[in-house]
Amino acid sequence: MLLLQPATYSLNVLAKLVDALLLIIKRGEGYMKRKSWIYSLMLAIIVSVVFGVGSIYAAAQNITDIVKVTKPAEIKVGEWKSYEIAITDWTDADVTEHDFTPISSDENVVKVVRKTQWVSELHAINKGNATLTVNIGEKFEPYVFTVQVVDEYTVIPEPTKPVVIKEPTHEEIMLQDLEDYIEQLQPLGSYEKKAITTLNQNRLLNDSTRKTLFLTLNNTVLPNYTKFVSGLKNLKANNVELKEIHTYFLAGAKLQLEGFTIMRDSLKTTKINWSKFNAGEKKKAEGIKQLNKSEMLLDKYAIKYVK
């Protein structure tokens, strides 16, 4: 009686490495999020410490603290534009008493026609610039704005955003190559899993199990593993390092397939050909060494390019 050495999965090694890559990347993202959150918190504390201390001197308020000003920046010669005030802060008891009518620095350019204490019409007389000032008392800084009188309105085209093409880093290219390689492997996984799982469930060999193991190898293991190896031959590795990994990977799988074939042939007759069967087991063990080599190189590849 003989207990077969278990056959080796090759695709599962890659799957585990992919999981490790995703975990590393996710941890990296989490670090950046924590760093960003901590930075924001520190910034908020600094701002509150620096700017949160009240001044012992009462500065004059800005008019815009209590009202919203609607005004033109540009008027065409001969046209009229409205200047309007809308109260936004009613806590100042005198807000309704203030006269917000602006005074023009040059009425030959812009003439102010008062309608109410909150509304005025601005008449563009001649081309040029006029400074308009609103003064409502000592509690507030004078509000000053400029109006330009033009022959034609200025058309400002919307700025076009430059197209920035980010060149991928070497690490990003190598990781993308690995992702492409693994995507090619995934459709082959079902063939390998079927072959290896079935064989490892029938590892006991003696005269009474010979026929069962022969049928297992002939009808399930070899057909599925042959499809797996055929698929590996068509895989494309996009860089030198992956090509080396793939070379060991394919060599190991082919040796395992040869071993399975020899093992099956040793069980064709009612008498087990132990010498031939052991030769098949030896061939399979050689394949496992190649697969282990590809796993080691792939592990180094991942560590090298995941930053």
Side-chain angles (χ1 to χ4, degrees):
M1 182 177 71
L2 176 69
L3 185 64
L4 279 67
Q5 291 297 319
T8 295
Y9 285 98
S10 50
L11 191 60
N12 285 358
V13 172
L14 292 171
K16 289 178 182 178
L17 282 170
V18 174
D19 290 340
L21 289 177
L22 292 174
L23 181 59
I24 292 170
I25 292 169
K26 286 179 180 178
R27 285 176 178 172
E29 291 174 351
Y31 166 74
M32 291 306 296
K33 289 177 181 176
R34 290 195 297 273
K35 180 179 178 183
S36 176
W37 180 84
I38 292 170
Y39 174 79
S40 299
L41 180 60
M42 292 175 64
L43 182 61
I45 292 172
I46 292 170
V47 170
S48 65
V49 170
V50 173
F51 297 105
V53 180
S55 172
I56 60 174
Y57 300 103
Q61 287 182 270
N62 292 318
I63 286 177
T64 51
D65 292 338
I66 61 170
V67 298
K68 177 183 177 182
V69 182
T70 302
K71 64 189 186 303
E74 192 176 70
I75 311 176
K76 189 175 177 180
V77 173
E79 291 189 345
W80 296 74
K81 292 284 184 179
S82 293
Y83 156 87
E84 298 177 357
I85 293 295
I87 297 172
T88 57
D89 183 1
W90 293 88
T91 58
D92 186 333
D94 300 326
V95 67
T96 59
E97 304 298 325
H98 296 308
D99 189 338
F100 293 91
T101 303
I103 304 298
S104 176
S105 63
D106 189 345
E107 292 202 339
N108 288 321
V109 176
V110 175
K111 185 175 182 179
V112 179
V113 179
R114 184 180 184 277
K115 297 295 184 181
T116 71
Q117 66 196 80
W118 301 302
V119 179
S120 295
E121 292 293 324
L122 307 183
H123 187 198
I125 308 297
N126 293 297
K127 185 178 176 181
N129 294 321
T131 300
L132 286 89
T133 304
V134 180
N135 198 331
I136 61 171
E138 295 181 355
K139 285 176 58 179
F140 295 91
E141 294 283 353
Y143 180 77
V144 180
F145 63 98
T146 301
V147 175
Q148 184 178 17
V149 178
V150 296
D151 291 328
E152 295 293 338
Y153 288 115
T154 304
V155 178
I156 302 175
E158 291 190 11
T160 56
K161 293 183 180 180
V163 178
V164 179
I165 301 175
K166 181 181 178 294
E167 292 294 331
T169 64
H170 178 62
E171 288 79 10
E172 289 171 339
I173 292 172
M174 300 301 274
L175 285 176
Q176 183 61 54
D177 288 347
L178 178 59
E179 182 181 336
D180 293 342
Y181 183 71
I182 293 170
E183 284 182 0
Q184 295 176 75
L185 278 173
Q186 287 177 342
L188 306 177
S190 59
Y191 298 125
E192 184 199 31
K193 183 177 181 181
K194 181 70 174 177
I196 301 301
T197 301
T198 304
L199 180 59
N200 286 341
Q201 289 173 348
N202 296 274
R203 291 169 52 205
L204 184 64
L205 175 62
N206 54 38
D207 290 338
S208 61
T209 62
R210 177 202 62 81
K211 184 176 181 181
T212 299
L213 183 54
F214 171 79
L215 293 174
T216 297
L217 285 163
N218 190 67
N219 298 341
T220 303
V221 176
L222 282 170
N224 280 281
Y225 208 75
T226 298
K227 291 178 181 177
F228 175 65
V229 173
S230 296
L232 289 182
K233 291 178 182 178
N234 295 321
L235 255 61
K236 181 182 178 182
N238 294 330
N239 63 61
V240 174
E241 292 178 56
L242 278 178
K243 285 178 181 177
E244 183 184 11
I245 292 168
H246 181 67
T247 298
Y248 284 106
F249 190 10
L250 178 59
K254 288 170 70 175
L255 285 169
Q256 277 209 134
L257 180 60
E258 290 179 37
F260 297 155
T261 303
I262 296 170
M263 290 161 61
R264 178 203 61 185
D265 293 345
S266 72
L267 305 175
K268 283 183 176 180
T269 62
T270 55
K271 185 177 180 180
I272 300 171
N273 186 335
W274 287 105
S275 175
K276 196 169 187 177
F277 186 87
N278 290 333
E281 280 274 80
K282 183 179 179 181
K283 186 72 71 172
K284 179 162 65 72
E286 292 173 4
I288 290 173
K289 288 181 181 179
Q290 298 294 308
L291 292 173
N292 288 341
K293 176 70 173 179
S294 72
E295 176 187 352
M296 180 192 69
L297 291 173
L298 190 56
D299 194 19
K300 288 182 178 179
Y301 185 101
I303 293 171
K304 183 178 179 180
Y305 294 115
V306 176
K307 302 299 182 182

